[in-house]
Amino acid sequence: MIPGDHGYRPIKAKNSNEAIELAEGEGLDLIFMDKELPDIDGVKTTTILRQNPKTSHIPVVALRNYGRKKLRKWVLPHT
């Protein structure tokens, strides 16, 4: 364990498809999602993750704010 890492191991995806694959297989605790991704945007990627029983429970934190109401709808659907 690296001092100050609190036991977390960050994983970086190059694009949305890789992020989805990692989320399905890595047992992630949290996802930081950027709205701007090279293949599928972060909104669509989060929608895909929310519809997948393997990944729907993983909290998603958005890294860009482009409209508060729309952002809350796809990032925090239970609030």
Side-chain angles (χ1 to χ4, degrees):
M1 184 181 330
I2 300 169
D5 73 358
H6 304 284
Y8 294 105
R9 182 177 57 96
I11 300 171
K12 183 177 179 180
K14 295 175 185 164
N15 57 48
S16 297
N17 290 319
E18 185 176 328
I20 293 165
E21 288 177 20
L22 288 170
E24 289 178 335
E26 291 289 333
L28 303 180
D29 296 310
L30 177 68
I31 297 172
F32 289 100
M33 181 69 68
D34 192 338
K35 181 187 174 291
E36 304 293 328
L37 296 169
D39 50 356
I40 306 169
D41 71 38
V43 175
K44 179 65 176 168
T45 303
T46 300
T47 300
I48 292 167
L49 292 171
R50 290 279 178 252
Q51 294 171 345
N52 184 337
K54 293 180 183 178
T55 58
S56 62
H57 66 283
I58 305 170
V60 176
V61 177
L63 296 178
R64 294 192 183 171
N65 186 350
Y66 64 98
R68 216 172 279 234
K69 282 186 180 182
K70 191 171 184 180
L71 184 69
R72 285 184 66 89
K73 183 178 178 182
W74 68 269
V75 176
L76 304 169
H78 306 293
T79 61

